[in-house]
Amino acid sequence: MAFDSFQDFLAMGGHAPYVWASWGVTGALLIGIVLHARAERRRLLRMLQRRHRRQAATNQTSHRTGGERHEA
Amino acid sequence: MPSIDTRMSEGRQGSDGEPRGGLLVAVWATLKRDLTLLMRRRSEVLNPLVFFALVITLFPIGISPDPELLSTIAPGLLWVAALLAALLSLDSLFRSDYEDGSLEQLLLTPQPLAMLGLAKVAVHWLLTGLPLALMAPLLGIMLALPSGSYLTLAFSLALGTASLSLIGAIGAALTVGLSRGGVLLSLLVLPLYIPVLIFGAGAVQAAIMGDGAAAHLAILGALLALSLMLAPWAIAASLRISING
Amino acid sequence: MGKIWSFIHKLGSPKWFYGISARLMPWFWTAAVVLILAGSVWGLAFAPQDYQQGNSFRIIYVHVPAAFLAQSIFVSMAVAGLIFMVWKIKVADMAAAMMAPLGAAMTFIALFSGAVWGVPTWGTWWMWDARLTSMLILLFLYLGVIALRGAFSSRDSGSRAASVLAMVGVINIPIIKYSVDWWYTLHQPATFSVTSRPAMPMEMWAPLLIMVLGFYCFFIAVTLMRTRSEILRRESNKRWVRDIAGEQG
């Protein structure tokens, strides 16, 4: 352990603003990248599912109309 | 150019199909065609030179007319201004050929596109880089450039602008199909110009300090050799993308 | 040779890539999280402070990994571009498209942390230090690749143009780096450089190594994940993609 107390750790020997700014921005960007990638994937999957359901629905209706026509 | 002329006539006399020295004929024809075209549009040749002189005029006005201060920053100013002037002319390198369809014809020729592109770049350098290099000493006087560095300035610019034309042509070829490629072109090309700028301005600075600029000029030559080797292929690939896309 | 070829072409199939990446991704995510957390705790709290720079040297644990990654990502992007141009493998281009913004972000981290580090060491927010200058140029190269890809209306042309530019850039990066280094030593001979330091003790470089590895794993994991998304986007009309949507829905 390079520091005597938690206060010391936060103070970083007087360099706190620089160390924590660098680490903070890096951490925020890394987390932001992950969140963005996750949101992107979810959005795409939702979009694909919507399209899938819509297609399934149109397939069914076209089946049904086709069937009715056949009966008629 | 008697030797090329005789080979050209040999090429024409070549009886069946592909003429002998076909590549040389094609390169020579491209050179001649582009030179003629550009000589007819004089303003396109003159504009970069006027731009160069104008930018150099702006610096003493914007900074200070003090000759001592100007002489210390003159090598960098001259080089940066020349680099921007060369950049300015790049957009038109393939533009008119793209618009009138002759670039497509160039793609269809049996000769390698890289060599024909190289011919076009050579014309660009001959009518942009070389005049800029010849004009730079004149502007150097206006910036109180210390004596003893004028020859180095012209020579480093002549060598350097050749690399700039080659590298810039890649960017020009990539953006020729885009309607508003001008700003994008400078964004693509300027970072790649930095090594040439460093050694070009360094050469002039070394000449001023009396260190001898041979090493810098040698590196500029090496950069030119490298771009001569690699850039034509990149230009050809980029032209194909721009035409087919 | 035959094996390599079939491997390459398998890799080229988006479906195969989608499957294999799903199996690989958790490992890389786990490794990235564990390594970055371990490296951070070690580097921030346990590594001894530098005798010259005190605790401000702890910025090295984010600056150097980001700078490494910024350069490596550009090289990987160019390699992916080459694979795309030579073998027409679409997945390579999708990966390259996803790498560019990540690389730009890493370059930004390296630039930002380098600039902040400059305040306690040089007393100024910006110094035309060799490493910072080449990082800045690298950022412009990234922005150029991203802008060029976006400028084309046809995706295929944009992909091929971006690949060519990435390859041209990767040839230029070492030239730029060496010329900037040379320029810097010429103009600022006697400043203290933050990165070229005498041998570090093990307690200092071990966390750095861990952080670098963690960042690499992070890069691979993010690229795999986003490439998978890009596959879904570009292949959304393919049968197998629709089946995936059906299973999930």
Side-chain angles (χ1 to χ4, degrees):
Chain A
M1 197 73 175
F3 300 95
D4 295 330
S5 66
F6 189 66
Q7 236 69 47
D8 263 13
F9 173 66
L10 285 184
M12 278 286 157
H15 291 307
Y18 316 119
V19 174
W20 294 121
S22 304
W23 279 78
V25 166
T26 308
L29 254 173
L30 293 192
I31 292 170
I33 289 167
V34 174
L35 290 182
H36 168 252
R38 268 182 55 175
E40 180 188 40
R41 177 167 170 78
R42 286 196 182 156
R43 199 173 53 235
L44 270 165
L45 279 177
R46 257 206 309 276
M47 188 266 285
L48 283 173
Q49 277 160 24
R50 255 206 312 276
R51 194 189 283 181
H52 181 83
R53 253 179 262 139
R54 204 164 43 227
Q55 238 153 26
T58 45
N59 280 350
Q60 269 185 357
T61 48
S62 69
H63 263 295
R64 208 174 296 147
T65 50
E68 279 164 10
R69 209 172 287 153
H70 187 73
E71 274 172 40
Chain B
M1 303 259 151
S3 63
I4 292 176
D5 275 339
T6 49
R7 270 195 243 178
M8 254 180 86
S9 53
E10 270 174 25
R12 287 213 185 100
Q13 280 157 11
S15 49
D16 38 18
E18 188 80 357
R20 275 174 65 202
L23 176 61
L24 219 60
V25 177
V27 167
W28 180 243
T30 315
L31 270 174
K32 235 166 75 177
R33 170 183 170 275
D34 276 27
L35 268 173
T36 327
L37 273 177
L38 268 175
M39 288 317 280
R40 290 207 186 123
R41 281 175 293 170
R42 293 256 168 74
S43 69
E44 239 170 73
V45 179
L46 287 175
N47 280 347
L49 296 177
V50 177
F51 176 83
F52 186 29
L54 242 169
V55 170
I56 290 300
T57 315
L58 292 183
F59 280 109
I61 294 171
I63 299 170
S64 144
D66 174 25
E68 224 165 288
L69 177 66
L70 284 178
S71 73
T72 56
I73 54 173
L77 286 190
L78 286 162
W79 250 93
V80 171
L83 185 147
L84 291 177
L87 180 75
L88 191 74
S89 61
L90 272 180
D91 194 41
S92 60
L93 178 55
F94 299 114
R95 179 74 62 191
S96 63
D97 282 357
Y98 176 77
E99 277 162 1
D100 67 16
S102 45
L103 207 55
E104 245 164 294
Q105 300 298 317
L106 217 59
L107 248 71
L108 294 174
T109 52
Q111 282 78 23
L113 183 59
M115 291 302 120
L116 303 181
L118 192 60
K120 294 183 86 66
V121 174
V123 171
H124 178 260
W125 174 76
L126 218 56
L127 293 181
T128 316
L130 198 58
L132 283 174
L134 294 176
M135 193 180 159
L138 200 69
L139 298 170
I141 297 173
M142 292 164 70
L143 288 181
L145 189 73
S147 61
S149 58
Y150 286 81
L151 201 65
T152 314
L153 174 69
F155 193 60
S156 70
L157 269 173
L159 258 180
T161 46
S163 311
L164 296 186
S165 291
L166 279 163
I167 300 167
I170 303 172
L174 280 172
T175 53
V176 71
L178 304 170
S179 51
R180 254 171 282 162
V183 184
L184 182 62
L185 169 63
S186 36
L187 179 61
L188 304 185
V189 161
L190 277 178
L192 305 176
Y193 276 3
I194 285 168
V196 180
L197 174 66
I198 287 175
F199 289 105
V204 185
Q205 224 132 35
I208 291 172
M209 306 234 242
D211 295 343
H216 297 78
L217 293 176
I219 293 177
L220 277 180
L223 288 175
L224 176 58
L226 195 66
S227 18
L228 261 177
M229 254 181 347
L230 299 176
W233 309 108
I235 295 169
S238 312
L239 283 177
R240 289 221 167 78
I241 294 167
S242 286
I243 297 283
N244 298 334
Chain C
M1 206 50 204
K3 257 189 180 170
I4 296 173
W5 274 108
S6 71
F7 178 71
I8 285 175
H9 279 108
K10 251 181 162 179
L11 252 180
S13 133
K15 188 181 173 186
W16 184 83
F17 183 88
Y18 196 85
I20 193 86
S21 59
R23 266 181 286 157
L24 287 175
M25 225 172 35
W27 296 102
F28 282 108
W29 276 126
T30 319
V33 170
V34 168
L35 287 171
I36 290 179
L37 281 182
S40 299
V41 172
W42 194 349
L44 273 174
F46 290 92
Q49 56 170 295
D50 188 71
Y51 71 101
Q52 255 180 325
Q53 303 183 45
N55 284 312
S56 72
F57 111 98
R58 293 180 201 280
I59 296 175
I60 204 174
Y61 297 120
V62 290
H63 176 76
V64 167
F68 268 32
L69 213 53
Q71 292 169 7
S72 308
I73 293 179
F74 206 98
V75 175
S76 341
M77 198 169 73
V79 171
L82 184 74
I83 293 172
F84 171 65
M85 292 292 275
V86 174
W87 290 291
K88 311 269 175 260
I89 289 173
K90 275 190 268 168
V91 172
D93 175 59
M94 298 183 200
M98 298 297 105
M99 283 177 202
L102 186 63
M106 287 301 151
T107 317
F108 175 78
I109 291 178
L111 269 177
F112 181 84
S113 56
V116 170
W117 199 354
V119 183
T121 34
W122 301 314
T124 164
W125 285 93
W126 182 262
M127 182 82 141
W128 290 97
D129 162 75
R131 180 185 278 268
L132 283 183
T133 310
S134 20
M135 272 295 140
L136 186 63
I137 299 168
L138 187 64
L139 182 63
F140 290 135
L141 285 174
Y142 271 119
L143 295 181
V145 173
I146 295 171
L148 185 67
R149 184 183 286 274
F152 281 84
S153 48
S154 127
R155 181 161 57 206
D156 188 53
S157 304
S159 302
R160 290 194 292 153
S163 305
V164 169
L165 187 64
M167 285 187 268
V168 171
V170 92
I171 294 171
N172 270 279
I173 283 177
I175 300 174
I176 291 173
K177 206 170 154 46
Y178 284 114
S179 48
V180 167
D181 280 351
W182 179 87
W183 159 81
Y184 182 69
T185 49
L186 190 79
H187 288 270
Q188 265 108 353
T191 39
F192 173 70
S193 173
V194 283
T195 41
S196 68
R197 43 183 35 265
M200 267 196 247
M202 201 279 281
E203 303 89 67
M204 276 183 174
W205 64 253
L208 184 60
L209 186 70
I210 293 175
M211 282 300 267
V212 169
L213 287 176
F215 268 59
Y216 272 100
C217 289
F218 178 82
F219 156 56
I220 296 171
V222 170
T223 307
L224 286 179
M225 183 164 177
R226 293 205 63 208
T227 306
R228 283 160 62 81
S229 302
E230 185 72 6
I231 289 175
L232 291 184
R233 190 179 297 140
R234 290 200 199 175
E235 310 270 293
S236 59
N237 290 325
K238 294 276 163 65
R239 181 72 184 260
W240 67 272
V241 175
R242 270 187 264 156
D243 289 346
I244 288 175
E247 282 161 28
Q248 305 250 334

